[in-house]
Amino acid sequence: MNRDEKIRGSFLGIALGGDDERSSSLCGEAQTALYTATGLIYCYTMAIMRGFLGDYTECVKNSLRDYSCVLRGWEPEKKHSWLVNIPEMRKGGGEEISAFSLAAVCGMFFDPEKQYCDSPEEYICVLCADISGQKKEKYVGAGFFAALMNRLIYTDYYGERTLEDNIERALKTAEKAFGDIEAFAILKGGIKTVLAQSLLRLMDADALINVRENEDGLKELKTALFCALRRQTDIKLAIKTARNCSFEAGAITGCVFGALFGEEAFESVILQKEILLTVADDLYYTTLQSDYDADFENDDWAKKYIFVNYKGEKNE
């Protein structure tokens, strides 16, 4: 499966998995993913086209600040994401930024072949954890999930492997990056519990009690991975089971399945699908560019990621 299909699937999976079904707007997890992506693309575009060597962490923070302004009905003093110009994106969402949606997009964005260092997977793990802006267990968890998504998306670099194997390998990457941090031991114990419980002949509800028993900031991540592992052949049931625990767990589960099976995995009607796929395609296009020969020379791209005045095709 091509990388663009995996990235598209991941964005759709986040939106579907976190969908309240009673809401008429995108869930907070999907909006977090969209604003994170536009922040990353903006940062890279400005560096290539204008020579402004920005900081990814700062650019994502600024983009998410736009999202926070919109949630409160305010106009951003300076726009960093073109999404604020889209009327449909000015409603819904949630007050809390989803750390794992953010980490997932970072994992999709950074091509390991372009990280010129001895251990690109470890570098990406730490970089994405830093961009997430989280603390303690969630910081380490965000780095781990970014490493996992990086493996699921860039199979041309890492090779095709089972979900279980990719989780184990992402955990080893996180150990290299965070092994001396106390919070890593909590993450490792939680992920090992997830792997073990997914193999036991227990009812999902009973196994999830064991998976979710610790208040460690990683409940939603562990829940999502358990559901994805336990129900790999039944995407709808996996997402429903995870969503019954929390919308964020549902979004993470959908994201994983999107990376595994692409956009064709989701047949449901998805709110703002056009915007989701536009941003997913822009992110994929950015990953194809070379630092020395990037091609961003088109009017719509400049409107989106330089002047930030793009209003969507139907509003132009």
Side-chain angles (χ1 to χ4, degrees):
M1 186 187 307
N2 294 330
R3 195 192 316 162
D4 60 332
E5 296 174 80
K6 289 171 173 282
I7 292 174
R8 280 179 148 228
S10 296
F11 274 86
L12 295 181
I14 291 172
L16 181 64
D19 183 17
D20 187 340
E21 296 183 350
R22 295 168 295 178
S23 175
S24 60
S25 59
L26 272 177
C27 63
E29 291 77 17
Q31 300 224 37
T32 296
L34 289 171
Y35 278 92
T36 298
T38 54
L40 292 168
I41 300 167
Y42 172 85
C43 189
Y44 186 77
T45 301
M46 292 297 284
I48 297 298
M49 300 301 292
R50 292 290 187 268
F52 298 154
L53 299 178
D55 177 80
Y56 282 118
T57 302
E58 195 62 30
C59 286
V60 169
K61 189 185 297 183
N62 287 336
S63 187
L64 289 170
R65 192 176 292 125
D66 283 2
Y67 172 45
S68 294
C69 285
V70 167
L71 280 180
R72 292 167 173 76
W74 304 340
E75 192 66 28
E77 187 174 335
K78 179 186 176 183
K79 295 176 182 176
H80 298 88
S81 173
W82 61 268
L83 295 170
V84 299
N85 302 321
I86 310 298
E88 296 87 345
M89 296 297 292
R90 284 184 165 266
K91 57 185 179 179
E95 290 292 324
E96 190 172 336
I97 299 300
S98 170
F100 300 113
S101 290
L102 190 160
V105 173
C106 290
M108 298 179 218
F109 182 78
F110 293 105
D111 184 342
E113 290 192 285
K114 292 183 185 175
Q115 314 310 315
Y116 308 113
C117 56
D118 292 337
S119 181
E121 59 269 36
E122 184 181 341
Y123 172 75
I124 290 169
C125 180
V126 175
L127 176 62
C128 295
D130 286 343
I131 294 173
S132 77
Q134 300 299 308
K135 295 184 179 176
K136 297 185 178 179
E137 290 85 1
K138 274 201 171 181
Y139 173 86
V140 175
F144 159 77
F145 190 53
L148 174 60
M149 285 300 299
N150 198 249
R151 285 185 167 277
L152 296 178
I153 297 294
Y154 292 91
T155 50
D156 49 345
Y157 179 84
Y158 294 108
E160 294 280 358
R161 302 182 186 280
T162 64
L163 178 57
E164 294 90 337
D165 192 21
N166 276 315
I167 290 173
E168 290 274 17
R169 288 171 182 268
L171 190 61
K172 288 179 181 176
T173 298
E175 185 167 19
K176 290 178 185 175
F178 311 121
D180 57 347
I181 300 176
E182 183 180 347
F184 173 75
I186 296 172
L187 171 73
K188 184 176 181 179
I191 297 302
K192 292 294 185 184
T193 297
V194 167
L195 291 166
Q197 291 294 319
S198 70
L199 297 174
L200 295 178
R201 290 189 174 183
L202 290 175
M203 296 286 290
D204 286 354
D206 294 330
L208 279 167
I209 290 172
N210 298 328
V211 167
R212 293 175 61 84
E213 66 178 347
N214 294 322
E215 293 290 341
D216 54 12
L218 301 173
K219 269 199 211 180
E220 316 320 328
L221 175 63
K222 293 185 296 183
T223 299
L225 294 181
F226 169 81
C227 291
L229 286 165
R230 176 63 77 92
R231 302 293 177 193
Q232 292 187 50
T233 58
D234 194 335
I235 296 174
K236 286 184 179 179
L237 180 58
I239 290 176
K240 182 179 179 181
T241 302
R243 193 195 288 136
N244 285 341
C245 294
S246 77
F247 291 120
E248 185 175 25
I252 301 168
T253 307
C255 182
V256 170
F257 279 125
L260 288 171
F261 304 116
E263 63 180 305
E264 297 302 319
F266 308 111
E267 299 173 355
S268 306
V269 174
I270 297 176
L271 293 168
Q272 309 304 337
K273 185 174 182 178
E274 183 180 343
I275 292 175
L276 288 161
L277 294 182
T278 295
V279 174
D281 290 344
D282 287 353
L283 187 143
Y284 170 66
Y285 181 75
T286 306
T287 68
L288 298 177
Q289 303 308 306
S290 162
D291 294 351
Y292 309 103
D293 189 27
D295 180 14
F296 294 130
E297 298 287 352
N298 75 68
D299 290 342
D300 279 353
W301 197 276
K303 287 178 183 178
K304 289 177 187 172
Y305 301 112
I306 295 179
F307 304 114
V308 199
N309 58 8
Y310 182 72
K311 298 177 181 179
E313 291 183 5
K314 63 183 179 183
N315 298 314
E316 285 292 309

